[in-house]
Amino acid sequence: MTAATGIGSMPGTHDADHAEAVRLVLGELPGLPHVPEVPGRGVAAAMTGRGLAVVEGLAADLQPAGWRLTDTSGVDHRRARSLLAQDLDTVEELAQGYEGTFKTQVAGPWTLAATVEKPRGDKVLSDHGARRELAQALAEGVGGHLADLRRRIRGVDRWVVQVDEPALAAVVAGQVPTASGFGRHRSVDLPEASAHLEWVVAAIADAGAEAWVHSCAPETPWSLVAGTGVAGLSADLDVLGPADLDTFAEALEAGLTAALGVVPSTDPATGPSDARVTERVQRWLDMLGLDPEAVGQRLVVTPSCGLAGATPAWAARALRLAATVARNL
């Protein structure tokens, strides 16, 4: 049976909004709920801050230019860790009795390298050794994060970790700005880009979970991602080019999961019907020569990207729409 899930982020600006997001996800996505993120509460709750809260063995602090690695954790880094634990407390409380599959999300190694600075400034991306250390610390931290989740929600028999890599396309294309803003960091060689992802993917697999890589950015190197040992690929269907579509088709045929972003992630002028979205997915499968019955269990329907920019009303409707489309398929 085709499943539906959310990408991760939800609208809101207060801790109460996170609790409401958990209730919504558990209610609307009973087959594949996820740990909601509410980045509107501030940088400690946003993608980079949450990723640094998972990283093991590295300290960080928030500077005027953004997150920076430091010798000791600053107040904002401690706040990010505290907020993550608080959010997981909420999930644990509201998911009591849940059984089945559950998804969590974490910023990927290249997105962290492109958004976090070294102790003396400039992005971690600029230093080969620093970016390796950050990726390895993330791989170690993901294992501990999963162990914590398993203790909290004991009915889950299948964990999925979505590795968010919105910056991967810019990293391999040499498009990440330098600290001055007047230059660009050199592109990362594809073997290194693959290796860092492989460390994180392997750590997730070693912890007994499935690793999916998600990006809703155009020009993401999906063929590279597919070769890292991932169990699933997740993307906005609108930004996939012909070669990407082939990669997703090959992934499905190889037994991997394909999570297709087909529901608008921000309020549309006119919301699409479930029949229209269902037909779009069916046309995509037909175009690629895929049998819906053969690959249906490996398809996942999602919003096109995170829902943090949507109104609460559309966020709720988007999740319901995704779930309806999954049932239709």
Side-chain angles (χ1 to χ4, degrees), residues 145 223 239 246 249 256 305 328:
H145 181 54
S223 59
V239 304
D246 289 341
L256 304 185
C305 208
N328 292 348

Side-chain angles (χ1 to χ4, degrees), residues 52-144:
L52 288 171
V54 171
V55 164
E56 183 68 32
L58 293 179
D61 194 13
L62 190 63
Q63 304 289 327
W67 287 102
R68 177 177 290 185
L69 298 180
T70 53
D71 293 332
T72 58
S73 291
V75 63
D76 293 293
H77 192 205
R78 295 194 298 272
R79 164 67 174 157
R81 287 178 167 165
S82 174
L83 192 58
L84 174 58
Q86 175 184 312
D87 286 356
L88 296 185
D89 286 343
T90 302
V91 175
E92 178 182 5
E93 177 186 352
L94 297 177
Q96 287 298 312
Y98 176 81
E99 296 180 354
T101 304
F102 219 103
K103 181 171 73 73
T104 188
Q105 304 80 225
V106 64
W110 290 112
T111 294
L112 286 179
T115 55
V116 177
E117 291 193 342
K118 298 178 297 181
R120 296 183 179 276
D122 215 342
K123 296 290 190 286
V124 168
L125 183 62
S126 66
D127 185 280
H128 179 85
R131 61 201 193 204
R132 179 180 63 246
E133 182 180 12
L134 180 57
Q136 292 173 341
L138 174 62
E140 184 177 354
V142 165

Side-chain angles (χ1 to χ4, degrees), residues 178-189:
T178 58
S180 69
F182 295 109
R184 297 289 185 271
H185 288 286
R186 293 178 60 182
S187 60
V188 172
D189 293 337

